[in-house]
Amino acid sequence: MKLGALAFALFLSSLTASAQSAQPAIKSPDHGKDTSKPSASSSKVTLPPEKTQPVNLPRFEKPPVIDGNLDDEAWKTGAVLGDFYQTQPGDNIAPSYPTQVLLGYDSKNLYIAFRVKDDPGKVRATVAKRDEIWDDDTVHVVLDTYNDKRKAYILAFNPFGIQADGIFTEGEGDDFSLDIVMESKGALTEDGYVVEVAVPFKSLRYEAGKGKLWGFNAVRRIRRLDNENDSWMPVSRDKSGVLNQQGQVTGLEGIATERTLEIIPTFTLSESGRRVRTLSVAAVNADPTLQDPGRFINKPVKADAGLNVKLGLTPTVTLDFTANPDFAQVEADQPVLVANQRFPIFFSEKRPFFLEGADIFQTPLQAVHTRAIIDPDYAVKLSGKLGRNSFGLLLASDNAPGDFTEEERSDPDIAADISRFFDKNAYVGVVRFKRDVGKENVLGLIATSYDFIEKHNKLAGLDGRFRLDQKTTFTFQILGTTSRRFFFTPELNDDVYRTGNAVGYSWNYDRTGRNFGYTFQGQGRTRDYRSDVGFVRRTNTNSQGSFFRYSTDPKPKAKLISRRMIAGLETNFDWQGRMQYFGGFANVGFDLTKQTFFNIGYSEFYERLFEEEFGAKRTSAQPGAFFGSDSERSTRGRAVSGFFGTNFSKKFSGFLFAGHRWSVFDFDFGAGPRFPRVSPAALADPDAPLDPGEANTFDLGVSVVYKPIAALRASVDYNRNRFTRNETGRLVFVDNIYSFKATYQFTRFLFARARVDYDSLASSLRGQYLFGWTPNPGTSFYVGYNDDLNHNGFSPFTSQLEPGFRRNGRTFFIKTSYLFRRSI
């Protein structure tokens, strides 16, 4: 089964439900009193007069103290927003508990306060890490600071005032990698909780002044009540979109508009060691029986200093610069299955410099994926918005392509082929421009450049998003690339240095209504398509799909709250017109009380492989990449899957996935020394050409989260993948990945974290132990230790079995940074 297609369809369905519950609000004239009286059953809401007009925000003469206590005089003059609507699971009905939002501002800050009524003994609140508050009750505001209905800030808080901040982009969803400087404090009360916030205007990009409007909404989520969402503005399920259903605020005048300068020096002290070979590659190749246990080298203590600078040229334009940035991983990548994979695996960006303003560079075909910039010596970025025009410029010099280890430089068998690359940098450039067209449409241009020795790539193209009516959107992207580099040529079975020109395209037509929705989409890339600054999974392919979804109106008081059904068809074919894949799936899901859900699905598919996708193409002068007389292989398969999740209490939540697939492809790559190839051809001759064939698989995933006290969060994840070759009955591989993670928050800003990952296929045991203090974005202090071991694994130098534990590498580091922030 194409699990990606199933996951995509499920995502669309869940996004439709969740996005519609993140909307805006307006002023209630009764200070301190909630007059909420929406209908108990009707989804069509007649807005009261105060919600049809922008809310005029009062200017505070004296700012409130942000202490989680709303007794300041300023709040007595603040705008009060009440009359919330339950938008999930209910359909614009009365909320279970009343909520109020208070707003005001002065020349430096926007002030927000929530007064939340609830049973204090049932409120879910933990001392969580920033951006990890989603298992708690939360409140958040949506600030469309340009009032363009395209993009908005999301500022969220749990009952203790712990922050989560991100960017919501219409049609793309939310991204909580953004961190802005703001002050917040929350506290439990006798009848619920309060949250008090001060957001410096210099932390935002915005337009303000006389007559300027901001899109605005406030939303509360009650976790234990089936994720009840209460929204200040009603949300129509007969419309698609989030920001087009917001309210508005105005009155933001006399704001100080001085430039903001942020300087963040960083300093890292590290000591590391790693295992290196003791025999040369040539010696091992000449005598495979040689043992090379390697030796462990401890490197001298290394000190690294770096600098990050941010200059707010105007409230809407920002210049960022980084020199020798320290990108030591404070957050490790999640282990993933790498066996029997044909295409690259995507890992998300986690580095702060590249996350700032990253939303402007996002496009359907992922023309920009900044993890392609591995180790920059320096980088500069200019981004912002002027009127209807958004823009971004990114330049970087990447040290990684020319950075080789001492062992690689000193081994004559290796150095001869790479010496011309020593200490050379790759140069990267990205230009992005977007133009708002009409009320909710966008047109954009993008261009990228990557230059290194014998590897040059240029890309340019056009993209857009159009709202055709209240329910329908259409997005597209067209890209052209030209590259001067080595291309593998199947007809010659060799890499040929040449110029390659190519195109890529993407389109998506989506209609989302109250109960029914459908999506038609497609994308493709020609054979020579390259995007060295972006991410490319597959070339010489076209993918076209149609997805249909139906969901019932939720019943908030019933045990079975809602049902959803999803079905789809998808086909892939290459640019020579040959079918690569055709499949269909259907599944049904159920939402129950106590945040419990389950889903079951079934699919059937046909898949086809061509040998030139894997290597040489057979000709009269050479054999092909596949064993035997056939230059292609095909299979017809089916799959069943199901998943179950629950968050029935404050302390426990869990998720279970299980799936079985029949007659998927074993590509005959083998899975390392532990699992050599098991195809009929390989069993007869280990050096035989590839012999792809049918295999059956079983996939299992389990995740459990335990929070015994407010300050401690522990999770265990287990994933098992088992492949069995049909013709031979042999095990292709079995992989068990275990992950344990525990975090103890001493305070909002002080924490200790341990993480251990074990991958049975790689025999890899990795640990990360971290103590951190992060009082605000930019200021931090970390002490960490990372360890990488093998247990009963195979030598990376000779592929021979090594019993017991062997350490591959370890690192101890101290990292610190400090934010200097001034208005100039």
Side-chain angles (χ1 to χ4, degrees):
M1 176 180 68
K2 278 213 164 179
L3 289 174
L6 173 59
F8 175 77
L10 287 171
F11 170 75
L12 284 175
S13 177
S14 61
L15 180 62
T16 300
S18 61
Q20 289 175 339
S21 59
Q23 294 332 329
I26 260 195
K27 180 178 179 180
S28 169
D30 298 310
H31 294 286
K33 179 181 178 182
D34 193 294
T35 59
S36 178
K37 296 289 184 180
S39 166
S41 60
S42 173
S43 65
K44 293 185 178 180
V45 177
T46 301
L47 287 176
E50 66 270 15
K51 291 199 176 188
T52 61
Q53 300 296 322
V55 176
N56 193 61
L57 299 187
R59 185 183 180 98
F60 291 161
E61 296 299 325
K62 183 179 180 181
V65 178
I66 306 303
D67 57 4
N69 190 341
L70 304 185
D71 57 359
D72 299 84
E73 287 296 318
W75 292 122
K76 296 180 181 179
T77 62
V80 181
L81 314 182
D83 300 353
F84 276 59
Y85 301 84
Q86 184 188 140
T87 59
Q88 180 184 316
D91 190 2
N92 293 326
I93 65 174
S96 298
Y97 295 91
T99 304
Q100 284 186 340
V101 179
L102 290 75
L103 297 171
Y105 78 101
D106 60 19
S107 63
K108 296 183 179 296
N109 299 296
L110 173 68
Y111 298 100
I112 307 165
F114 286 85
R115 183 179 285 122
V116 177
K117 302 296 184 182
D118 206 337
D119 182 342
K122 296 181 179 179
V123 170
R124 295 193 179 183
T126 60
V127 185
K129 183 185 174 185
R130 185 189 189 101
D131 291 334
E132 294 185 0
I133 63 175
W134 307 115
D135 289 333
D136 295 342
D137 291 346
T138 58
V139 291
H140 73 260
V141 295
V142 183
L143 300 177
D144 181 359
T145 54
Y146 294 105
N147 194 38
D148 61 10
K149 300 177 178 60
R150 276 89 169 172
K151 185 171 67 174
Y153 291 96
I154 304 176
L155 309 180
F157 312 90
N158 79 352
F160 294 148
I162 297 173
Q163 304 165 5
D165 41 5
I167 293 289
F168 178 86
T169 304
E170 197 68 78
E172 297 177 9
D174 50 38
D175 178 4
F176 282 91
S177 57
L178 171 75
D179 287 330
I180 70 171
V181 177
M182 56 182 169
E183 187 179 0
S184 61
K185 188 69 180 293
L188 297 177
T189 64
E190 293 181 354
D191 58 355
Y193 63 92
V194 298
V195 173
E196 193 173 17
V197 185
V199 184
F201 288 113
K202 61 186 178 182
S203 293
L204 306 174
R205 297 183 183 183
Y206 63 91
E207 288 184 342
K210 188 173 182 179
K212 294 293 185 180
L213 301 175
W214 285 13
F216 178 87
N217 194 24
V219 181
R220 171 193 181 182
R221 187 183 66 166
I222 309 174
R223 193 79 166 102
R224 72 182 186 280
L225 299 181
D226 305 312
N227 286 321
E228 176 179 324
N229 274 18
D230 300 332
S231 172
W232 176 61
M233 288 292 283
V235 178
S236 173
R237 296 181 181 179
D238 294 313
K239 299 179 181 179
S240 68
V242 173
L243 303 182
N244 58 348
Q245 300 195 59
Q246 291 207 117
Q248 294 175 326
V249 297
T250 190
L252 295 166
E253 301 179 21
I255 296 174
T257 58
E258 65 267 21
R259 294 185 178 91
T260 301
L261 176 65
E262 295 182 4
I263 301 176
I264 305 176
T266 63
F267 181 75
T268 302
L269 197 66
S270 63
E271 192 277 330
S272 63
R274 66 187 185 90
R275 188 182 178 194
V276 300
R277 63 172 66 246
T278 56
L279 300 176
S280 70
V281 175
V284 173
N285 289 340
D287 185 359
T289 64
L290 284 176
Q291 292 277 357
D292 185 359
R295 59 192 179 97
F296 199 84
I297 296 179
N298 291 307
K299 294 186 175 181
V301 174
K302 180 181 179 182
D304 268 324
L307 182 68
N308 297 304
V309 179
K310 181 190 299 293
L311 176 61
L313 302 176
T314 72
T316 65
V317 179
T318 302
L319 177 66
D320 293 271
F321 174 79
T322 184
N324 193 30
D326 172 38
F327 288 150
Q329 281 281 14
V330 175
E331 289 282 353
D333 289 321
Q334 183 77 21
V336 296
L337 177 69
V338 297
N340 205 53
Q341 299 289 327
R342 294 176 62 190
F343 307 114
I345 297 173
F346 181 85
F347 291 98
S348 59
E349 181 61 86
K350 296 181 179 180
R351 300 171 295 181
F353 174 82
F354 291 116
L355 292 173
E356 168 69 25
D359 53 281
I360 195 172
F361 298 107
Q362 294 174 355
T363 65
L365 285 175
Q366 292 181 292
V368 177
H369 180 46
T370 48
R371 283 192 70 150
I373 307 171
I374 301 170
D375 183 20
D377 289 334
Y378 64 84
V380 62
K381 179 167 54 180
L382 179 70
S383 59
K385 185 167 186 175
L386 297 174
R388 288 179 167 266
N389 302 314
S390 301
F391 59 90
L393 172 66
L394 172 64
L395 302 172
S397 174
D398 188 4
N399 176 62
D403 187 18
F404 295 90
T405 65
E406 295 177 7
E407 290 74 23
E408 291 170 322
R409 293 169 184 259
S410 60
D411 191 325
D413 299 302
I414 299 175
D417 294 327
I418 62 175
S419 59
R420 65 188 183 280
F421 305 123
F422 286 172
D423 302 319
K424 304 298 183 181
N425 280 27
Y427 297 97
V428 177
V430 180
V431 177
R432 176 65 163 153
F433 176 81
K434 294 167 68 176
R435 170 79 176 178
D436 296 346
V437 180
K439 289 185 177 181
E440 299 180 49
N441 308 318
V442 179
L443 279 174
L445 299 170
I446 193 165
T448 70
S449 174
Y450 185 98
D451 286 289
F452 187 62
I453 300 171
E454 299 177 354
K455 186 179 180 181
H456 306 276
N457 174 248
K458 304 293 185 290
L459 173 151
L462 173 71
D463 61 280
R465 182 178 189 273
F466 297 90
R467 178 170 293 281
L468 306 182
D469 57 40
Q470 289 186 343
K471 299 180 181 180
T472 310
T473 59
F474 177 75
T475 61
F476 76 93
Q477 185 170 26
I478 301 172
L479 293 174
T481 73
T482 182
S483 305
R484 183 69 177 170
R485 56 178 295 164
F486 283 97
F487 289 87
F488 179 76
T489 304
E491 293 78 8
L492 301 176
N493 193 24
D494 197 9
D495 291 316
V496 177
Y497 191 75
R498 62 178 176 84
T499 299
N501 299 316
V503 297
Y505 69 90
S506 172
W507 64 274
N508 182 291
Y509 179 91
D510 181 87
R511 185 171 178 84
T512 298
R514 165 174 293 276
N515 302 114
F516 181 72
Y518 55 85
T519 299
F520 301 110
Q521 66 168 25
Q523 65 172 237
R525 300 173 179 87
T526 57
R527 186 186 300 275
D528 287 347
Y529 182 95
R530 298 294 185 273
S531 178
D532 290 336
V533 188
F535 179 80
V536 180
R537 181 166 171 80
R538 187 177 187 180
T539 61
N540 192 29
T541 190
N542 299 270
S543 175
Q544 313 296 322
S546 57
F547 306 94
F548 304 88
R549 54 197 184 272
Y550 172 79
S551 60
T552 62
D553 286 333
K555 299 177 180 179
K557 303 300 182 181
K559 291 184 179 180
L560 176 57
I561 296 173
S562 65
R563 300 183 303 276
R564 59 186 178 274
M565 286 152 279
I566 306 168
L569 294 171
E570 186 176 11
T571 182
N572 284 44
F573 53 92
D574 64 21
W575 287 79
Q576 290 74 48
R578 299 176 297 183
M579 177 79 70
Q580 296 169 316
Y581 174 89
F582 181 80
F585 71 90
N587 66 66
V588 59
F590 303 88
D591 293 319
L592 310 176
T593 58
K594 297 185 178 180
Q595 304 87 59
T596 300
F597 58 90
F598 69 93
N599 187 95
I600 54 176
Y602 176 79
S603 71
E604 292 190 2
F605 58 87
Y606 168 78
E607 189 167 8
R608 203 171 166 202
L609 306 179
F610 303 97
E611 65 181 359
E612 58 264 37
E613 298 179 282
F614 295 80
K617 181 177 181 179
R618 63 189 64 203
T619 66
S620 57
Q622 69 179 14
F626 285 174
F627 175 81
S629 59
D630 293 332
S631 61
E632 65 177 76
R633 304 290 169 90
S634 64
T635 181
R636 296 180 184 273
R638 66 190 190 280
V640 295
S641 65
F643 58 81
F644 170 85
T646 184
N647 185 200
F648 61 90
S649 75
K650 288 184 178 181
K651 293 185 178 181
F652 288 98
S653 63
F655 179 83
L656 171 68
F657 170 83
H660 189 70
R661 293 177 287 167
W662 292 268
S663 299
V664 298
F665 268 118
D666 163 32
F667 300 126
D668 199 25
F669 297 154
R674 192 179 302 279
F675 294 101
R677 297 163 56 198
V678 295
S679 66
L683 291 178
D685 177 7
D687 297 321
L690 292 177
D691 187 15
E694 295 180 352
N696 294 340
T697 78
F698 176 74
D699 306 300
L700 176 69
V702 181
S703 178
V704 177
V705 177
Y706 178 51
K707 295 179 289 184
I709 57 176
L712 177 62
R713 184 183 192 276
S715 64
V716 177
D717 296 282
Y718 170 66
N719 289 278
R720 178 180 176 85
N721 303 93
R722 180 184 175 91
F723 261 64
T724 305
R725 182 79 177 219
N726 291 1
E727 300 107 311
T728 63
R730 299 289 189 93
L731 193 64
V732 179
F733 71 86
V734 60
D735 191 12
N736 298 280
I737 299 176
Y738 304 84
S739 295
F740 169 78
K741 183 178 179 181
T743 302
Y744 189 88
Q745 292 281 157
F746 300 97
T747 68
R748 289 175 57 180
F749 310 123
L750 189 68
F751 69 92
R753 184 175 72 227
R755 175 172 178 168
V756 178
D757 299 305
Y758 176 71
D759 185 337
S760 68
L761 183 61
S763 304
S764 173
L765 180 66
R766 295 181 178 179
Q768 183 187 63
Y769 312 95
L770 188 69
F771 176 84
W773 176 65
T774 55
N776 61 55
T779 298
S780 63
F781 178 78
Y782 297 103
V783 178
Y785 176 74
N786 299 333
D787 211 345
D788 179 7
L789 303 98
N790 276 3
H791 179 249
N792 294 333
F794 292 81
S795 167
F797 313 126
T798 64
S799 297
Q800 296 169 341
L801 180 65
E802 296 179 327
F805 285 97
R806 298 295 177 105
R807 175 171 278 116
N808 299 312
R810 57 156 187 79
T811 300
F812 173 82
F813 67 90
I814 298 174
K815 176 183 176 181
T816 185
S817 63
Y818 187 81
L819 169 64
F820 294 92
R821 198 177 203 216
R822 296 288 183 271
S823 297
I824 57 176

